[in-house]
């Protein structure tokens, strides 16, 4: 039985680990990031892969810096290392360790969207299609030869959460379909076309703020491309408001970008760039829970009023 070391950290990685654990391969070690403080109370919380591995009875290793601490991986003598959103680069000595190399499950159609946030950027950039790539790992980030790919249409109602779930399931199945060919030496890995490489670095705080001068479609993609995390926001009367859902609309009542042009029938309409507009569908005022805009308008302290300009940060 081939011995596999699995390396992953977030929810995206869990279906891949579970698929390997339930296959004919032996997962001899799960490597994941250390437990981190989480939430307002800073409770030390294990990453999802640690929880899943322990439920599966798989030993867990959590190095703070993999480049300086990977001896436990060498000791289990893996035939193959599989990574899926692990979160640290592998040192060359580790890449060269297994007889069958190291392969990565990446959530994009490489060479597009290399980096740590490919699912977010697929939606932020308004792409109609994304997918999963199984690739050999190389020293350069996400630049290894492609072993197999499977595409997925991005639906208009998809957000990061739904796409994340779909792609993790596809990744698990594609990996299991690919591994027998890999172990038989029956794969033809294809080098990536560097001229077509694009990048999807981790989301910055500045990218979460809505720029109302952009078009309605761009703001629609920004909102769903940041949902359910980290969530887009805007400012109103000195308060930050999270924007969970918007809908582009046709309107003749154009205003300045960010201006609330109407509040009626449970709907708040905001002007965007190019004389376009969106309706706010779901919001989360500061200190409040996530709610439909209609429910918010039924409250007693309303700060969304016609003529107000959204977008002035605190």
């Amino acid at each position: 039985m081939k011995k596999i070391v699995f390396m992953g950290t977030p929810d995206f990685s869990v279906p891949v680990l579970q698929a390997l654990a339930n296959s004919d391969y032996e997962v001899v070690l799960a490597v994941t990031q250390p437990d981190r403080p989480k939430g307002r109370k800073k409770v030390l919380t294990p990453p999802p892969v640690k929880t899943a591995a322990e439920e599966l009875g798989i030993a867990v290793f959590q190095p703070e810096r993999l480049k300086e601490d990977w001896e436990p991986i060498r000791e289990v003598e893996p035939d193959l290392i599989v990574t899926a959103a692990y979160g640290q680069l592998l040192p060359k000595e580790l890449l060269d360790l297994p007889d069958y190399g190291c392969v990565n499950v990446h959530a994009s159609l490489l060479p597009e969207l290399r980096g740590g946030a490919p699912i977010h950027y697929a939606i932020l950039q308004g792409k109609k299609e994304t997918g999963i790539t199984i690739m050999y790992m190389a020293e350069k980030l996400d630049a290894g030869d492609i072993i197999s790919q499977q595409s997925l249409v991005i639906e208009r109602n998809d957000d990061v959460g739904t796409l994340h779930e779909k792609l993790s399931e596809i990744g698990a199945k594609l990996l299991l379909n690919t591994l027998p060919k890999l172990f038989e030496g029956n794969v033809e890995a294809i080098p990536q076309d560097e001229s077509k490489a694009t990048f999807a670095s981790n989301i910055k705080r500045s990218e979460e703020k809505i720029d109302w001068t952009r078009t309605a479609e761009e703001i629609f993609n920004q909102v769903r491309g940041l949902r359910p995390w980290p969530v887009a926001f805007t400012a109103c009367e000195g308060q930050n408001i999270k924007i969970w859902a918007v809908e582009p609309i046709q309107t003749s009542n154009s205003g300045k970008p960010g201006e609330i042009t109407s509040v009626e029938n449970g709907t708040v309409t905001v002007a965007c760039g190019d004389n376009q507009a969106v309706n706010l569908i779901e919001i989360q005022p500061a200190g409040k829970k996530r709610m439909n805009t209609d429910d918010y308008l039924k409250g007693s302290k309303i700060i969304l009023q016609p003529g107000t300009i959204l977008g002035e940060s605190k």
Side-chain angles (χ1 to χ4, degrees):
M1 183 182 292
K2 301 297 185 187
K3 295 192 295 184
I4 293 176
V5 166
F6 178 78
M7 305 177 69
T9 299
D11 288 326
F12 174 83
S13 316
V14 171
V16 182
L17 171 61
Q18 292 171 331
L20 286 172
N22 293 320
S23 71
D24 293 332
Y25 307 112
E26 181 185 8
V27 182
V28 291
L29 184 66
V31 183
T32 188
Q33 298 284 350
D35 297 3
R36 303 290 189 199
K38 191 174 182 180
R40 291 184 177 180
K41 295 185 178 179
K42 305 296 182 185
V43 177
L44 198 61
T45 305
V49 160
K50 179 181 181 180
T51 303
E54 290 178 341
E55 290 173 355
L56 293 164
I58 298 170
V60 176
F61 174 47
Q62 296 177 276
E64 189 70 47
R65 290 178 59 82
L66 186 67
K67 289 184 178 180
E68 300 169 359
D69 185 14
W70 52 276
E71 181 63 17
I73 301 175
R74 188 189 64 77
E75 290 176 351
V76 296
E77 300 180 336
D79 296 301
L80 177 77
I81 292 176
V82 173
T83 70
Y86 169 56
Q88 294 189 44
L89 291 175
L90 275 59
K92 186 176 186 308
E93 295 88 345
L94 197 52
L95 292 174
D96 294 339
L97 178 67
D99 290 341
Y100 293 88
C102 303
V103 301
N104 181 40
V105 181
H106 186 77
S108 83
L109 297 174
L110 292 171
E112 285 192 340
L113 301 179
R114 295 175 179 175
I119 300 177
H120 290 80
Y121 278 93
I123 298 176
L124 288 171
Q125 295 178 0
K127 292 184 178 297
K128 306 299 182 188
E129 182 183 75
T130 186
I132 287 288
T133 299
I134 309 295
M135 52 169 281
Y136 281 117
M137 298 190 71
E139 289 186 80
K140 187 177 177 182
L141 179 65
D142 297 333
D145 293 353
I146 295 170
I147 304 171
S148 58
Q149 285 186 320
Q150 184 172 332
S151 61
L152 172 71
V153 173
I154 300 175
E155 305 289 348
R156 193 162 175 80
N157 62 353
D158 272 325
D159 60 17
V160 171
T162 61
L163 207 54
H164 183 280
E165 187 172 340
K166 293 177 184 177
L167 288 172
S168 62
E169 295 295 334
I170 290 174
K173 292 177 182 176
L174 184 61
L175 178 68
L176 289 190
N177 288 337
T178 301
L179 288 186
K181 302 171 189 174
L182 185 149
F183 285 127
E184 293 165 5
N186 194 25
V187 297
E188 185 175 349
I190 302 171
Q192 295 187 39
D193 184 345
E194 289 294 324
S195 69
K196 295 181 179 178
T198 61
F199 297 89
S201 302
N202 293 335
I203 300 295
K204 303 180 183 66
R205 176 65 173 169
S206 60
E207 295 173 293
E208 300 167 24
K209 181 182 177 184
I210 294 176
D211 176 358
W212 294 100
T213 65
R214 302 179 75 188
T215 67
E217 188 70 12
E218 288 172 336
I219 292 171
F220 171 72
N221 287 334
Q222 180 184 12
V223 169
R224 68 192 186 110
L226 297 175
R227 183 181 68 226
W229 73 91
V231 185
F233 75 93
T234 190
C236 178
E237 302 293 334
Q239 297 183 30
N240 283 343
I241 300 175
K242 291 184 178 181
I243 307 297
W244 284 87
V246 300
E247 178 184 33
I249 61 164
Q250 298 292 328
T251 178
S252 58
N253 185 18
S254 61
K256 298 176 182 177
E259 181 179 354
I260 297 176
T261 56
S262 72
V263 178
E264 56 186 11
N265 299 324
T267 299
V268 175
T269 302
V270 184
C272 308
D274 290 340
N275 296 317
Q276 299 177 12
V278 296
N279 283 340
L280 303 184
I281 304 300
E282 199 172 357
I283 64 174
Q284 185 174 2
K288 304 287 185 181
K289 64 180 182 180
R290 174 180 174 179
M291 66 184 79
N292 292 327
T293 306
D294 184 26
D295 293 333
Y296 167 76
L297 293 175
K298 296 172 183 173
S300 58
K301 295 182 179 180
I302 306 300
I303 61 173
L304 300 178
Q305 299 289 350
T308 299
I309 305 294
L310 301 181
E312 296 178 359
S313 296
K314 295 175 69 175

